[in-house]
Amino acid sequence: MGNTLLTVKNLHKEFDGKTILKSIDFEVIKGEVIVIIGPSGCGKSTLLRCLNGLEDIQGGEILIDDRKVISGSKDITAIRQKIGMVFQSYDLFPHKTILENIILAPMKVLKRKRSEVEAEATELLSRVGLADRKNDYPRQLSGGQKQRIAIVRSLIMHPEVLLLDEITAALDPEMVHEVLQVVLDLAKTGSTMLIVTHEMSFAKAIADRVLFLENGEIAEESSNPKEFFEAPKTERAKQFLKSFEY
């Protein structure tokens, strides 16, 4: 396999004295797609937020390129540039055009030239089928289109690892497919991703590895997604998957 980009060692996270994540250990290899599934409240979204330094941790460590991810540290901004994140909500600036939303961060944070960033933004918009909407405002786009823009906005920062947190949860069913297709295309181009999702058919199709979380722990891990979805080893995973049709 390739290089290890991200390492999580014995991660422990608490909220108000309540344990949310405990004894979380895994590595992410360059080009790998890891899907994180599990019941609501098991810590999936919190795990992604910890990986990006958006949450303090109470034990263990997170390393990206052998550099520690520590919330509030002096170099956390530089580290976050290596870890892109797309949330359930799109968080686009309503008063800026689609193009302006996309080019703002690379110009301000990375100090890149406007002409260079605009050219890349246009190319990325073409990849997600939205090049003709670059001068529109967010209010003119559907939920699925806005989520595709949020993905482009993250990609233009050239993250080494992309975190996707239930990116279809706020979408109408007919909009889900267009967003998931963009993510599938990214996987084909070798993007490294950690994906939290309740879309089991999508998870089965895209995953190189599956992490099943239960009560803040990795209850089952599989590098054979087909086998996991058809014959999980733990009883809890079997019960969880029975509630889905895929």
Side-chain angles (χ1 to χ4, degrees), residues 4-172:
T4 299
L5 291 182
L6 184 68
T7 302
V8 181
K9 299 179 180 178
N10 198 31
L11 176 62
H12 185 85
K13 168 68 184 173
E14 295 182 1
F15 277 131
D16 297 326
K18 180 182 178 182
T19 298
I20 307 300
L21 298 169
K22 54 187 174 183
S23 304
I24 301 290
D25 284 283
F26 66 93
E27 293 184 343
V28 182
I29 306 300
K30 184 176 182 179
E32 186 177 28
V33 177
I34 297 178
V35 170
I36 303 169
I37 64 172
S40 296
C42 71
K44 303 183 300 294
S45 293
T46 300
L47 174 57
L48 291 194
R49 291 177 62 84
C50 289
L51 299 182
N52 202 28
L54 294 173
E55 297 283 354
D56 292 325
I57 61 175
Q58 283 65 55
E61 61 181 7
I62 302 162
L63 302 169
I64 174 91
D65 289 340
D66 295 322
R67 296 175 67 185
K68 284 189 178 183
V69 179
I70 302 174
S71 177
S73 65
K74 62 181 181 180
D75 58 351
I76 190 62
T77 299
I79 289 174
R80 281 200 186 122
Q81 290 172 27
K82 297 174 178 286
I83 310 175
M85 188 159 183
V86 183
F87 300 90
Q88 293 180 25
S89 55
Y90 331 113
D91 296 327
L92 300 175
F93 293 111
H95 61 290
K96 292 184 178 294
T97 65
I98 297 309
L99 182 63
E100 289 169 340
N101 266 279
I102 294 169
I103 67 175
L104 181 63
M107 288 176 57
K108 295 290 187 181
V109 179
L110 302 181
K111 309 300 182 186
R112 294 173 60 192
K113 293 181 179 178
R114 184 184 183 99
S115 58
E116 170 194 313
V117 177
E118 282 192 3
E120 183 178 0
T122 301
E123 189 274 328
L124 287 170
L125 285 169
S126 295
R127 282 175 59 184
V128 301
L130 291 172
D132 61 333
R133 308 303 297 271
K134 67 180 182 180
N135 294 318
D136 289 348
Y137 288 86
R139 66 178 179 275
Q140 297 172 276
L141 272 59
S142 69
Q145 290 170 329
K146 284 186 276 193
Q147 193 59 283
R148 281 185 276 166
I149 296 302
I151 293 171
V152 166
R153 184 181 54 186
S154 185
L155 290 176
I156 202 166
M157 296 297 286
H158 301 163
E160 294 184 23
V161 180
L162 188 60
L163 311 177
L164 305 174
D165 184 18
E166 291 282 15
I167 58 172
T168 60
L171 300 180
D172 293 333

Side-chain angles (χ1 to χ4, degrees), residues 184-196:
L184 283 165
D185 290 343
L186 287 175
K188 292 175 184 175
T189 63
S191 294
T192 308
M193 294 183 281
L194 276 80
I195 304 170
V196 167

